[in-house]
Amino acid sequence: MPTLILVRHGRSTANTEGVLAGWTPGVALDERGAAQAAALPGRLAGLPIAEVVTSPLQRCQETLRPLLDARPELSPHTDERIGECHYGDWSGRKLAELKDEPLMEVVQAHPTAAEFPGGESMRAMQHRAAEAVREWNARVEREHGADAVYLMCSHGDVIKSLVADALGLHLDLFQRIAVEPCSITAIRYTRLRPFLVRLGDTGDFSSLAPREEPPSGDATIGGGAGAP
């Protein structure tokens, strides 16, 4: 079966503003995110990419633009099932104010029980994304062969849930996974089991350096802004 390259979108204006974007329209890449996207074709230069699939949201499509310009033979497919989690009434709100919501504790510790007001559950997000991957695996193998490589550009929580699915981890453990903006995660699927061969690879280790404010221990909903 194929190898899937998962690319999280580059850093967005919502990431730097500390806002939970969700499906809010008009959320674009910031200056750093645009630079990350511009570097993507070089990072993937050695890979024969058979298909490109993208979330319909602007920040993902902007992330892919330099890659598609460099490879005009690729025509992207849009799939809403790998779009961001529908955060409902939480969309557009500051993460700093959401941390005091009682639901946030559930999102952190028991995400299978988390359902966003006016939105969807985290279970539903994982299910739709995993179903999309399975269908695309079959299509890519059918059209390009079992050794084909294809790419999906998606969002932090979606990618984390797909990694958990590939590793056989319960969704309640997916907040232990981190993927930075424009990071590359690779999953090689086989008939019997998937293999996680890259996780959140940016080639930049600056985000591992100590920060003035130590991390809280909670996962950043939506994926966070990455290195400063």
Side-chain angles (χ1 to χ4, degrees):
M1 295 180 71
T3 295
L4 169 60
I5 306 298
L6 288 161
V7 177
R8 186 184 167 199
H9 62 79
R11 196 174 75 175
S12 72
T13 53
N15 293 145
T16 48
E17 292 167 3
V19 169
L20 186 63
W23 284 69
T24 305
V27 176
L29 299 183
D30 67 6
E31 186 176 353
R32 181 183 178 89
Q36 291 170 332
L40 195 59
R43 294 169 65 197
L44 297 173
L47 288 178
I49 299 172
E51 298 283 358
V52 171
V53 188
T54 181
S55 157
L57 296 174
Q58 178 179 339
R59 52 197 182 272
C60 285
Q61 299 193 1
E62 289 182 356
T63 298
L64 286 179
R65 193 167 298 150
L67 177 65
L68 295 172
D69 287 345
R71 301 199 190 194
E73 73 278 6
L74 292 174
S75 297
H77 305 272
T78 299
D79 194 327
E80 291 196 358
R81 295 174 296 176
I82 63 166
E84 180 63 284
C85 186
H86 290 276
Y87 296 116
D89 298 343
W90 279 27
S91 299
R93 293 180 62 187
K94 290 278 190 180
L95 291 166
E97 67 183 43
L98 289 171
K99 67 180 178 63
D100 295 325
E101 293 278 355
L103 177 60
M104 182 60 84
E105 187 177 15
V106 180
V107 170
Q108 293 291 330
H110 189 22
T112 51
E115 183 167 350
F116 296 97
E120 70 178 333
S121 68
M122 303 201 94
R123 299 185 314 279
M125 173 199 71
Q126 184 187 44
H127 177 74
R128 62 172 164 84
E131 285 300 300
V133 166
R134 285 166 173 78
E135 289 182 20
W136 277 103
N137 280 348
R139 175 174 173 174
V140 169
E141 181 173 4
R142 185 171 61 248
E143 297 180 2
H144 301 282
D147 294 328
V149 176
Y150 75 107
L151 182 147
M152 284 184 168
C153 187
S154 187
H155 307 265
D157 282 348
V158 175
I159 293 173
K160 287 161 55 178
S161 77
L162 290 171
V163 170
D165 176 76
L167 292 176
L169 288 178
H170 198 283
L171 184 62
D172 282 343
L173 300 178
F174 100 125
Q175 298 290 26
R176 302 183 183 194
I177 299 165
V179 289
E180 292 193 9
C182 222
S183 62
I184 293 173
T185 294
I187 302 170
R188 180 173 295 123
Y189 289 87
T190 73
R191 186 173 67 87
L192 296 180
R193 63 181 66 84
F195 293 89
L196 179 67
V197 292
R198 292 288 188 281
L199 176 61
D201 188 345
T202 64
D204 178 3
F205 297 103
S206 60
S207 64
L208 302 180
R211 301 190 183 186
E212 291 184 7
E213 295 184 10
S216 67
D218 286 339
T220 303
I221 305 304

